[in-house]
Amino acid sequence: MSVQTGRRSEPELSFSDKELLDLALSWITLSVAFALMLAPIHRGATMGSFILMVGLSFVTVGVAFLLHELAHKVVAIEHGQIAEFRADYQMLFMAIMSALIGFLFAAPGAVYHRGRITKRENAMISLAGPVTNLLLALLFLPLMIFPNLLGTIGQMGVWINLFLAAFNMIPFGPLDGKSIYNWNKGVFALVFIPSILLAGYVVLFVGLF
Protein backbone atom coordinates (compact mmCIF):
# COMPACT_ATOMS: atom_id res chain seq x y z
CA MET A 1 0.00 0.00 0.00
CA SER A 2 1.25 3.52 -0.78
CA VAL A 3 -0.11 6.90 0.29
CA GLN A 4 0.80 10.24 -1.29
CA THR A 5 1.33 13.43 0.71
CA GLY A 6 3.22 16.83 -0.32
CA ARG A 7 6.61 18.00 -2.01
CA ARG A 8 9.31 16.86 -4.43
CA SER A 9 12.93 15.96 -3.60
CA GLU A 10 16.06 14.49 -5.18
CA PRO A 11 15.99 10.67 -5.34
CA GLU A 12 17.88 8.95 -2.54
CA LEU A 13 17.33 5.42 -1.26
CA SER A 14 17.90 5.37 2.48
CA PHE A 15 16.23 3.98 5.59
CA SER A 16 15.77 5.71 8.92
CA ASP A 17 16.04 3.78 12.17
CA LYS A 18 12.31 4.29 12.68
CA GLU A 19 11.52 2.87 9.24
CA LEU A 20 13.71 -0.19 9.77
CA LEU A 21 12.05 -0.80 13.13
CA ASP A 22 8.56 -0.49 11.62
CA LEU A 23 9.45 -2.87 8.77
CA ALA A 24 10.88 -5.43 11.18
CA LEU A 25 7.91 -5.24 13.57
CA SER A 26 5.44 -5.56 10.69
CA TRP A 27 7.34 -8.53 9.22
CA ILE A 28 7.45 -10.36 12.56
CA THR A 29 3.85 -9.53 13.51
CA LEU A 30 2.42 -10.69 10.18
CA SER A 31 4.42 -13.93 10.38
CA VAL A 32 3.13 -14.66 13.89
CA ALA A 33 -0.44 -13.72 12.92
CA PHE A 34 -0.45 -16.11 9.96
CA ALA A 35 1.02 -18.84 12.15
CA LEU A 36 -1.72 -18.29 14.76
CA MET A 37 -4.35 -18.63 12.05
CA LEU A 38 -2.86 -21.67 10.30
CA ALA A 39 -1.41 -23.54 13.31
CA PRO A 40 -3.51 -22.21 16.20
CA ILE A 41 -1.56 -23.15 19.29
CA HIS A 42 -4.37 -21.71 21.41
CA ARG A 43 -6.73 -24.28 19.85
CA GLY A 44 -4.63 -27.38 20.27
CA ALA A 45 -1.88 -27.13 17.64
CA THR A 46 1.46 -28.37 18.93
CA MET A 47 4.27 -25.97 19.76
CA GLY A 48 6.38 -27.63 17.08
CA SER A 49 3.80 -27.06 14.33
CA PHE A 50 3.30 -23.46 15.46
CA ILE A 51 7.03 -22.69 15.43
CA LEU A 52 7.35 -24.33 12.00
CA MET A 53 4.48 -22.19 10.70
CA VAL A 54 6.09 -19.03 12.08
CA GLY A 55 9.23 -19.91 10.12
CA LEU A 56 7.28 -20.68 6.94
CA SER A 57 5.30 -17.46 7.29
CA PHE A 58 8.48 -15.47 7.87
CA VAL A 59 9.85 -16.72 4.54
CA THR A 60 6.63 -16.42 2.53
CA VAL A 61 4.24 -13.88 4.09
CA GLY A 62 7.07 -11.73 5.44
CA VAL A 63 8.99 -11.61 2.17
CA ALA A 64 5.79 -10.90 0.20
CA PHE A 65 4.94 -7.97 2.47
CA LEU A 66 8.49 -6.60 2.69
CA LEU A 67 9.22 -6.62 -1.05
CA HIS A 68 5.75 -5.21 -1.82
CA GLU A 69 6.45 -2.18 0.37
CA LEU A 70 10.05 -1.79 -0.78
CA ALA A 71 8.86 -1.77 -4.41
CA HIS A 72 6.59 1.19 -3.60
CA LYS A 73 9.49 2.98 -1.92
CA VAL A 74 12.01 2.39 -4.72
CA VAL A 75 9.65 3.51 -7.50
CA ALA A 76 8.53 6.54 -5.47
CA ILE A 77 12.14 7.61 -4.99
CA GLU A 78 12.81 7.10 -8.70
CA HIS A 79 10.05 9.64 -9.32
CA GLY A 80 11.66 12.21 -7.04
CA GLN A 81 9.58 11.51 -3.97
CA ILE A 82 10.53 11.39 -0.30
CA ALA A 83 9.24 7.95 0.67
CA GLU A 84 9.22 6.03 3.94
CA PHE A 85 7.31 3.07 5.36
CA ARG A 86 5.32 3.59 8.54
CA ALA A 87 3.67 0.78 10.45
CA ASP A 88 0.13 1.12 11.79
CA TYR A 89 0.42 -0.30 15.30
CA GLN A 90 -3.32 -0.51 15.79
CA MET A 91 -3.63 -2.60 12.63
CA LEU A 92 -0.74 -4.83 13.70
CA PHE A 93 -2.58 -5.45 16.98
CA MET A 94 -5.77 -6.17 15.03
CA ALA A 95 -3.88 -8.67 12.85
CA ILE A 96 -2.93 -10.69 15.94
CA MET A 97 -6.41 -10.43 17.50
CA SER A 98 -8.20 -11.42 14.29
CA ALA A 99 -5.84 -14.38 13.78
CA LEU A 100 -6.73 -15.64 17.27
CA ILE A 101 -10.39 -15.96 16.25
CA GLY A 102 -9.69 -17.68 12.95
CA PHE A 103 -9.33 -15.05 10.23
CA LEU A 104 -6.75 -12.47 9.34
CA PHE A 105 -7.22 -8.77 8.71
CA ALA A 106 -3.77 -7.48 7.83
CA ALA A 107 -3.03 -3.91 6.81
CA PRO A 108 0.25 -3.38 8.66
CA GLY A 109 1.11 0.05 7.29
CA ALA A 110 2.06 1.87 4.11
CA VAL A 111 4.83 3.66 2.27
CA TYR A 112 4.06 7.37 2.57
CA HIS A 113 5.52 9.53 -0.15
CA ARG A 114 5.41 13.24 -0.76
CA GLY A 115 6.29 15.53 -3.63
CA ARG A 116 4.77 16.95 -6.81
CA ILE A 117 3.76 14.06 -9.00
CA THR A 118 1.53 13.27 -11.97
CA LYS A 119 -1.41 10.90 -11.90
CA ARG A 120 0.56 8.45 -14.04
CA GLU A 121 3.61 8.55 -11.76
CA ASN A 122 1.43 7.99 -8.71
CA ALA A 123 -0.18 5.02 -10.46
CA MET A 124 3.25 3.58 -11.29
CA ILE A 125 4.22 3.78 -7.61
CA SER A 126 1.01 2.00 -6.64
CA LEU A 127 1.40 -0.60 -9.39
CA ALA A 128 4.90 -1.55 -8.21
CA GLY A 129 3.62 -3.43 -5.15
CA PRO A 130 1.07 -5.78 -6.78
CA VAL A 131 3.36 -6.42 -9.77
CA THR A 132 6.15 -7.37 -7.38
CA ASN A 133 3.82 -9.87 -5.70
CA LEU A 134 2.89 -11.40 -9.07
CA LEU A 135 6.57 -11.80 -9.93
CA LEU A 136 7.25 -13.35 -6.52
CA ALA A 137 4.40 -15.84 -7.08
CA LEU A 138 6.11 -16.81 -10.31
CA LEU A 139 9.43 -17.28 -8.49
CA PHE A 140 7.84 -19.45 -5.78
CA LEU A 141 5.97 -21.57 -8.34
CA PRO A 142 8.83 -23.97 -9.27
CA LEU A 143 9.25 -24.93 -5.60
CA MET A 144 5.80 -26.53 -5.65
CA ILE A 145 7.14 -29.55 -7.57
CA PHE A 146 9.32 -30.53 -4.61
CA PRO A 147 8.02 -32.68 -1.75
CA ASN A 148 7.81 -31.77 1.92
CA LEU A 149 9.13 -28.42 3.17
CA LEU A 150 10.22 -26.87 -0.14
CA GLY A 151 6.89 -27.73 -1.73
CA THR A 152 5.03 -26.17 1.20
CA ILE A 153 7.12 -22.99 0.94
CA GLY A 154 6.37 -22.84 -2.78
CA GLN A 155 2.64 -23.34 -2.30
CA MET A 156 2.42 -20.77 0.51
CA GLY A 157 4.57 -18.32 -1.46
CA VAL A 158 2.35 -18.58 -4.53
CA TRP A 159 -0.86 -18.32 -2.49
CA ILE A 160 0.06 -15.33 -0.36
CA ASN A 161 1.60 -13.33 -3.20
CA LEU A 162 -1.42 -13.85 -5.46
CA PHE A 163 -3.70 -12.91 -2.56
CA LEU A 164 -1.74 -9.72 -1.81
CA ALA A 165 -1.70 -8.74 -5.48
CA ALA A 166 -5.46 -9.24 -5.84
CA PHE A 167 -6.34 -7.59 -2.52
CA ASN A 168 -4.19 -4.51 -3.11
CA MET A 169 -5.60 -4.06 -6.61
CA ILE A 170 -9.11 -3.52 -5.25
CA PRO A 171 -9.99 0.06 -6.35
CA PHE A 172 -11.07 1.25 -2.91
CA GLY A 173 -9.77 3.63 -0.23
CA PRO A 174 -5.99 3.68 0.24
CA LEU A 175 -5.43 0.41 -1.64
CA ASP A 176 -3.16 0.47 -4.69
CA GLY A 177 -5.91 -0.31 -7.16
CA LYS A 178 -7.69 3.01 -6.68
CA SER A 179 -4.94 5.24 -8.11
CA ILE A 180 -4.27 2.74 -10.93
CA TYR A 181 -7.98 2.60 -11.82
CA ASN A 182 -8.24 6.40 -11.76
CA TRP A 183 -5.24 6.70 -14.08
CA ASN A 184 -5.87 3.97 -16.66
CA LYS A 185 -8.73 1.48 -16.48
CA GLY A 186 -7.14 -0.72 -19.14
CA VAL A 187 -3.91 -1.17 -17.16
CA PHE A 188 -5.99 -1.71 -14.04
CA ALA A 189 -7.98 -4.51 -15.71
CA LEU A 190 -4.80 -6.05 -17.14
CA VAL A 191 -3.41 -6.56 -13.64
CA PHE A 192 -6.54 -6.90 -11.51
CA ILE A 193 -8.44 -9.53 -13.50
CA PRO A 194 -5.58 -12.07 -13.77
CA SER A 195 -4.72 -11.50 -10.09
CA ILE A 196 -8.30 -12.23 -8.98
CA LEU A 197 -8.65 -15.26 -11.26
CA LEU A 198 -5.30 -16.77 -10.23
CA ALA A 199 -5.89 -16.13 -6.52
CA GLY A 200 -9.37 -17.67 -6.79
CA TYR A 201 -8.02 -20.71 -8.61
CA VAL A 202 -5.35 -21.32 -5.98
CA VAL A 203 -7.84 -20.96 -3.11
CA LEU A 204 -10.48 -23.19 -4.70
CA PHE A 205 -8.42 -25.86 -6.44
CA VAL A 206 -4.88 -25.86 -5.02
CA GLY A 207 -5.19 -24.83 -1.40
CA LEU A 208 -2.69 -23.33 0.98
CA PHE A 209 -0.93 -26.63 1.68
Side-chain angles (χ1 to χ4, degrees), residues 119-121 123-124 127 178-185 187-188:
K119 184 181 288 189
R120 178 188 177 279
E121 289 171 338
M124 291 299 100
L127 191 60
K178 184 175 182 180
S179 59
I180 300 165
Y181 180 86
N182 289 340
W183 167 62
N184 189 307
K185 293 176 178 57
V187 172
F188 168 81

Side-chain angles (χ1 to χ4, degrees), residues 49-130:
S49 63
F50 174 72
I51 291 174
L52 175 62
M53 189 53 62
V54 170
L56 290 172
S57 297
F58 199 79
V59 172
T60 55
V61 178
V63 168
F65 148 76
L66 183 66
L67 294 185
H68 176 105
E69 298 300 342
L70 289 180
H72 286 315
K73 180 182 175 77
V74 168
V75 176
I77 290 172
E78 287 179 350
H79 286 93
Q81 302 281 283
I82 297 173
E84 191 156 321
F85 176 81
R86 282 291 178 263
D88 185 326
Y89 293 108
Q90 289 183 332
M91 296 307 294
L92 290 177
F93 177 76
M94 184 177 291
I96 295 292
M97 292 299 101
S98 64
L100 287 172
I101 59 176
F103 75 97
L104 188 61
F105 185 80
V111 169
Y112 291 87
H113 57 93
R114 64 183 186 271
R116 290 176 296 173
I117 200 169
T118 67
K119 184 181 288 189
R120 178 188 177 279
E121 289 171 338
N122 192 44
M124 291 299 100
I125 294 168
S126 296
L127 191 60

